[in-house]
Amino acid sequence: MSLAFVFPGQGSQAPGMGRDLADAFPIARETFQEVDDALGQNLAKLMFEGPAEELTLTANAQPALMAVSVAVCRVLAKEGGFDLARRVALVAGHSLGEYSALTAAGTFDLATAARLLRLRGTAMQKAVPAGQGAMAALLGAEAEQAAAICAASEQGEAGREVVQVANDNGGGQVVISGAKAAVERAVEAAKAAGVKRAMLLPVSAPFHCAMMAPAADAMAEALAKAAMAHPAVPVVANVTAAPVSDPDAIRDLLVNQVTGTVRWRECVAAMVAAGCTTFAEVGAGKVLTGLMKRNAPEATALALNTPADIEAFLKGA
């Protein structure tokens, strides 16, 4: 059995996240305090109690999700003697989850990751004025069809407008992103093409498209100054769907990720091809566990979120 750890992205946050871990494990409380100290904010209180609207803000959700994922990894190590470097073959994360994966594997220290994600969230929010961008889910579409729909929808009355595939999640779930008018045209085109369901998403900015270029520039500057080490295990990068261990390459890939497609379907396929048969989603929610059942139905998929999840995993590990 070859084990991969996967780390969730934005959308998995919810009030109450991490609270049961903090109640059960001192190392989890220490982890959340370390993030709070790095950010100069009581993020843990927001995670535990909400309100949901504030937790969902990109600048809060990104470090919060990373904090829960790293807390789970630290609990596994402290309570169960689980050695990630020895027991896990590959790590990968969905969008911001790539930072969680890299932190779990030792590329970033926790405080650095928290500050990078705070900057990333703030920069992504500022990159496009409110109301100018949009994202939409195309359910029942594959990436190639979605890309063709985007290409045909770029030209509008105002000229050429960005719309591109943001997330290829697999299992017929593709998310597109770009200028609001172009995304709306793509939604209508998808419906006309017989896509099962096409709908705008309630997001605050058009993530993972060319309109995020100002945020990519901000991350390039921040990552150039950030201390980075070789990860203890290779990380499968979002934008290449291939394992990488060199810090300089990782830095470039993280910059490209801001405007590039999250190739999650291909990331999972790469991990399966490398021999991974068990996938543990480390952190809040079960979004990736659900996707795993579509992308790799022959694999074992499980979520490590609650103290009970952790106990059961350590018993079987």
Side-chain angles (χ1 to χ4, degrees):
M1 179 186 76
S2 188
L3 175 64
F5 271 8
V6 295
F7 295 82
Q10 207 159 325
S12 291
Q13 73 280 348
M17 61 189 285
R19 183 167 52 199
D20 52 356
L21 295 174
D23 289 343
F25 304 112
I27 189 66
R29 293 195 294 275
E30 292 170 20
T31 301
F32 298 144
Q33 186 62 55
E34 196 174 332
V35 171
D36 284 357
D37 291 345
L39 298 179
Q41 174 194 10
N42 193 344
L43 185 63
K45 185 175 189 293
L46 179 60
M47 290 159 54
F48 300 165
E49 301 174 11
E53 302 77 31
E54 191 175 345
L55 178 60
T56 301
L57 292 174
T58 306
N60 290 327
Q62 294 199 26
L65 286 162
M66 183 276 299
V68 175
S69 290
V70 172
V72 171
C73 288
R74 288 184 170 184
V75 170
L76 290 171
K78 182 82 170 178
E79 299 294 323
F82 186 87
D83 184 350
L84 184 146
R86 190 169 59 87
R87 303 292 297 276
V88 176
L90 293 167
V91 296
H94 194 284
S95 191
L96 82 90
E98 193 159 7
Y99 286 81
S100 307
L102 288 163
T103 306
T107 293
F108 296 119
D109 63 50
L110 182 60
T112 297
R115 287 190 287 264
L116 285 170
L117 285 172
R118 168 56 51 80
L119 173 65
R120 184 177 183 268
T122 301
M124 291 172 87
Q125 191 62 61
K126 287 181 177 177
V128 179
Q132 291 190 15
M135 298 181 77
L138 307 185
L139 305 180
E142 298 302 328
E144 295 79 7
Q145 182 186 17
I149 289 170
C150 287
S153 302
E154 286 189 329
Q155 193 66 35
E157 293 179 5
R160 194 168 186 83
E161 296 173 304
V162 170
V163 57
Q164 66 190 73
V165 174
N167 303 335
D168 175 14
N169 289 329
Q173 185 186 116
V174 179
V175 176
I176 62 173
S177 179
K180 187 171 187 290
V183 173
E184 289 171 343
R185 287 194 296 272
V187 166
E188 293 308 312
K191 292 175 181 176
V195 170
K196 183 178 177 182
R197 194 173 179 199
M199 57 186 179
L200 291 170
L201 296 174
V203 296
S204 55
F207 306 124
H208 296 292
C209 78
M211 295 175 77
M212 287 285 113
D217 292 341
M219 292 312 297
E221 183 178 347
L223 285 161
K225 302 171 185 173
M228 298 176 65
H230 281 79
V233 298
V235 58
V236 179
N238 282 185
V239 295
T240 59
V244 61
S245 293
D246 177 69
D248 289 335
I250 290 169
R251 183 182 290 110
D252 291 343
L253 290 167
L254 289 174
V255 174
N256 292 338
Q257 188 222 65
V258 178
T259 56
T261 301
V262 176
R263 296 167 58 185
W264 189 250
R265 172 179 58 86
E266 294 170 90
C267 288
V268 173
M271 289 184 278
V272 170
C276 294
T277 57
T278 299
F279 293 82
E281 181 176 6
V282 184
K286 298 182 179 181
V287 171
L288 299 183
T289 304
L291 287 176
M292 202 62 64
K293 292 171 184 175
R294 301 181 188 181
N295 287 316
E298 71 284 1
T300 299
L302 54 100
L304 296 179
N305 186 338
T306 68
D309 293 338
I310 292 170
E311 183 181 359
F313 177 78
L314 290 173
K315 282 182 178 178

